[in-house]
Amino acid sequence: MAYKHGRNTDVLLGSYDISAYLNEATPSMSIDTAETSAFGSSSKTYIVGQNDGTVSLSGMFDGDANAVNAVFESIIDNDLTPAFTIAYDGGVAVGSGCSIGTAKQTSYEVTAPVGDVVSVSGEFQVTGGIRQGVLLNDGTALSATTNGTSVDGVAATTIGATANLHVIANTRSTVSTIKVQHSTDNSTWVDLITFTNIPATTITNESLTAGVLSIRRYLRMQVTLTAGTGSITPIISIARRN
């Protein structure tokens, strides 16, 4: 068994990496239950219903542009539903484990104690459920078309897939195309999920579900850059479940 230290956790929210401001991240999964106990039953019985989830984020206040205060305020003020990826398994690295989903922010709190650092906390209601997945890249800035390192899922699966894209920096002068591909043999690749084309110098985020249920054993990212200048920094996470 390999234990993990929490200090290496990375938190991606929308088009921002807010890890440097946080010291705690808690994704929480739950499922509804309905009681089916009948007259004469000596013990209660239940059936399960819908999945649910919440995310709690907390850390230190920073009021600079694009820092944690601006990110939290923008989400709650504009009723956004950002994609999130919480990389608890060693941070942003190819194949690292993570929790992914999309969420509505339900609260934002700034606490200013007389004898301690000003802190922030945000609560999020997940929409569509939390999925456990993996990272397909390590957040390196790219200035050329790139086929990512493959991630071996050990076996094919048949319950679909959901992928999150976070573009946290972009100085490209032209459009970028980002895809998730899958393969049966780690050699011949087929497109699985194609994200919306990313315009020049645009940071963005998106969560998409695969159009098929059958997901092949190997997964990778593909980034295609048209002629131009500059670099783009995408981070892609994927879960083998719709």
Side-chain angles (χ1 to χ4, degrees):
M1 179 180 294
Y3 297 108
K4 300 291 182 179
H5 199 285
R7 68 183 179 86
N8 295 315
T9 299
D10 281 313
V11 178
L12 303 159
L13 184 62
S15 52
Y16 297 94
D17 181 348
I18 58 173
S19 311
Y21 311 106
L22 302 181
N23 54 27
E24 187 168 354
T26 307
S28 178
M29 301 171 66
S30 63
I31 191 166
D32 293 337
T33 58
E35 187 175 348
T36 57
S37 307
F39 293 125
S41 300
S42 58
S43 300
K44 290 185 176 182
T45 57
Y46 297 88
I47 57 173
V48 297
Q50 295 171 299
N51 292 310
D52 199 4
T54 58
V55 173
S56 299
L57 302 175
S58 58
M60 286 72 67
F61 175 86
D62 190 324
D64 288 349
N66 297 327
V68 65
N69 179 65
V71 173
F72 279 0
E73 278 195 350
S74 176
I75 292 170
I76 200 166
D77 286 348
N78 296 292
D79 190 24
L80 303 179
T81 311
F84 67 84
T85 297
I86 301 174
Y88 49 78
D89 185 25
V92 175
V94 176
S96 288
C98 57
S99 295
I100 76 171
T102 60
K104 292 285 190 182
Q105 188 166 3
T106 56
S107 70
Y108 173 43
E109 191 172 86
V110 178
T111 304
V114 68
D116 207 346
V117 67
V118 178
S119 63
V120 295
S121 62
E123 299 294 326
F124 297 81
Q125 174 61 56
V126 176
T127 176
I130 296 176
R131 306 289 183 249
Q132 302 305 311
V134 295
L135 275 296
L136 295 185
N137 66 317
D138 62 3
T140 298
L142 304 174
S143 56
T145 293
T146 301
N147 291 323
T149 302
S150 65
V151 175
D152 186 355
V154 182
T157 52
T158 57
I159 52 175
T162 298
N164 283 358
L165 168 66
H166 309 268
V167 177
I168 61 174
N170 186 6
T171 61
R172 289 292 301 170
S173 61
T174 53
V175 169
S176 303
T177 300
I178 300 178
K179 300 178 180 181
V180 174
Q181 297 181 315
H182 62 161
S183 171
T184 57
D185 58 5
N186 203 26
S187 178
T188 302
W189 294 89
V190 176
D191 294 347
L192 177 63
I193 293 174
T194 301
F195 295 102
T196 304
N197 282 343
I198 301 162
T201 68
T202 299
I203 60 171
T204 187
N205 72 103
E206 190 172 18
S207 183
L208 292 178
T209 297
V212 296
L213 292 177
S214 297
I215 311 301
R216 299 176 183 181
R217 173 174 174 173
Y218 298 93
L219 297 167
R220 75 175 185 184
M221 74 161 191
Q222 183 187 71
V223 179
T224 303
L225 305 182
T226 56
T229 60
S231 65
I232 186 169
T233 306
I235 299 175
I236 302 165
S237 56
I238 187 167
R240 287 176 176 265
R241 183 181 175 189
N242 280 343

